[in-house]
Amino acid sequence: VTDPELAAVVALYDSWFGCGDDGAKKKEETSDNLSEKQAAFVDRVAAFVAAYEFDRDGVVELRFTADLPGDVRRLIHIGVKRTRARSQSSGFRSKRYATVARPDLLLDAENGRIYERFVGKSYVAFEGPLVDYHGSLHENVVEEAWRAARVRRDGMHSHITILNRFETEEIAERQSRETGTEVTPDEVIRQLVRELGETVPNTWRDLGLGCLREGDQVEEQPAEPEQKTQQVEDGDEHSEKGKPKGKQKGKQQPKKKKKKKQFKGPNAAYFRIVDWPEVNEFRRRHHLAEATLHITVGFIHADIHDRPKDTTTLIHQ
């Protein structure tokens, strides 16, 4: 990569993983005054991270249980900080996790190289520091809340989707029919990741920021009770289904109104449009249609998946 790109990626990762900024100093300060039990826990975390065999991409995600207290998460970050790695919390509520990274494995500043990789999850994607950097280029157009929605869904790291979940399942079904034996999507994903790494060069280009808007969304609001009752001649009050509820003569019982609908505005998504012909050639070899590759920057309400994210959506034409 070029020197400006490398410098920008290093600056981004410094801001994320606390390399040399005020946030890092604050984390170091929090390691003081730990109890004996807390200090022992921090030592175990540091030993685990120090011994962990990071892949060439230098990143591992540690998922937290939903009930893990915030003070324990803080101790995990302190333990990571004592090693050569850096950590950052992401997600919310029951989907919180820590991204632990070895920046020295991701970035080879001396030789001007950045390491990226194809990955297999429930889908196949491409990710790495340069993808993260371009995913952060919002050009002061994409609001912070929109960018936060992407982080809640994807985690802090960005990616380029190469094949989605439905496409890997389609290939598995086709291979099962052709071979007469069951081929699982997981087997297909491992096969595709190997093949991509061997045949597709890392030549992708960012063509600019695109935007799509779609449909008007409505949100049902909780109903407010309406003070209304149904009474019969003998004074027995009935529920709406007509079942007697005993002598309640003269007592008002709330009856729910229908839920209100409130206008929320259209779904909208911002993304970096990616040009990578070799990926679409790979897709054609596997009998898949051409994809409009992109890096999601942010969205509101819901992302848009049923329209092409190509150069016709560029906000600066």
Side-chain angles (χ1 to χ4, degrees):
V1 295
T2 64
D3 288 342
E5 281 181 314
L6 183 62
V9 172
V10 170
L12 176 68
Y13 271 47
D14 279 353
S15 69
W16 280 6
F17 297 110
C19 307
D21 63 2
D22 292 339
K25 295 175 184 176
K26 290 177 182 177
K27 286 179 184 178
E28 289 176 346
E29 290 167 0
T30 59
S31 64
D32 298 334
N33 303 319
L34 295 178
S35 69
E36 184 177 341
K37 185 176 180 181
Q38 289 173 326
F41 177 75
V42 167
D43 289 341
R44 291 200 302 274
V45 171
F48 168 78
V49 174
Y52 187 85
E53 294 185 5
F54 284 86
D55 292 334
R56 174 68 261 183
D57 66 294
V59 175
V60 63
E61 289 182 353
L62 304 176
R63 295 201 172 270
F64 296 140
T65 59
D67 58 351
L68 192 68
D71 58 342
V72 177
R73 296 198 299 268
R74 178 179 66 87
L75 295 175
I76 291 173
H77 290 300
I78 293 172
V80 172
K81 188 68 179 176
R82 291 184 178 178
T83 71
R84 299 174 66 190
R86 298 291 181 265
S87 63
Q88 174 71 38
S89 285
S90 297
F92 71 115
R93 295 179 184 169
S94 63
K95 296 182 178 180
R96 290 196 67 85
Y97 61 90
T99 299
V100 180
R102 280 272 303 276
D104 57 308
L105 296 180
L106 292 164
L107 307 172
D108 182 359
E110 183 177 345
N111 296 304
R113 293 181 178 178
I114 290 175
Y115 293 92
E116 301 183 292
R117 66 168 185 166
F118 293 100
V119 295
K121 302 182 181 180
S122 59
Y123 53 94
V124 177
F126 185 76
E127 60 185 32
L130 201 58
V131 177
D132 288 335
Y133 167 63
H134 283 268
S136 72
L137 298 178
H138 53 83
E139 302 183 15
N140 295 320
V141 172
V142 189
E143 296 179 20
E144 183 178 352
W146 297 34
R147 303 197 302 273
R150 186 207 66 79
V151 172
R152 285 195 297 271
R153 185 191 68 181
D154 300 336
M156 66 189 301
H157 293 285
S158 297
H159 65 269
I160 302 171
T161 300
I162 307 300
L163 294 92
N164 64 38
R165 174 170 61 89
F166 305 105
E167 291 169 332
T168 59
E169 291 173 355
E170 177 186 330
I171 293 173
E173 291 173 2
R174 183 165 61 246
Q175 290 185 359
S176 296
R177 291 194 302 270
E178 292 172 352
T179 62
T181 59
E182 183 181 3
V183 179
T184 67
D186 285 344
E187 292 172 326
V188 166
I189 288 169
R190 287 194 293 271
Q191 165 205 328
L192 294 173
V193 168
R194 285 195 301 270
E195 187 180 341
L196 283 161
E198 293 168 357
T199 63
V200 175
N202 186 2
T203 57
W204 66 273
R205 294 187 305 130
D206 181 350
L207 301 182
L209 185 66
C211 178
L212 281 174
R213 295 177 182 272
E214 182 178 74
D216 291 336
Q217 304 303 306
V218 292
E219 181 180 37
E220 288 192 339
Q221 300 296 308
E224 295 180 0
E226 179 184 2
Q227 296 298 323
K228 186 176 180 180
T229 57
Q230 296 176 343
Q231 293 187 350
V232 292
E233 290 181 0
D234 62 2
D236 284 343
E237 185 170 282
H238 287 61
S239 68
E240 290 183 5
K241 293 183 179 180
K243 295 180 179 179
K245 299 181 68 176
K247 296 280 184 178
Q248 300 287 338
K249 188 170 183 178
K251 185 175 179 181
Q252 297 291 311
Q253 183 170 350
K255 181 182 178 182
K256 288 186 177 180
K257 291 181 180 179
K258 291 183 178 179
K259 290 183 177 181
K260 295 180 180 179
K261 290 187 176 182
Q262 182 176 12
F263 176 74
K264 291 202 307 181
N267 291 339
Y270 281 96
F271 42 86
R272 309 298 303 189
I273 300 164
V274 171
D275 178 46
W276 201 351
E278 293 87 350
V279 164
N280 273 314
E281 177 57 36
F282 175 88
R283 289 174 57 86
R284 282 191 287 273
R285 290 201 300 270
H286 288 276
H287 311 288
L288 297 174
E290 183 171 315
T292 53
L293 304 172
H294 60 278
I295 305 168
T296 302
V297 176
F299 57 86
I300 189 69
H301 305 317
D303 200 354
I304 298 173
H305 299 290
D306 57 353
R307 291 170 59 189
K309 296 176 178 177
D310 55 21
T311 53
T312 62
T313 66
L314 281 167
I315 66 172
H316 301 301
Q317 293 287 352

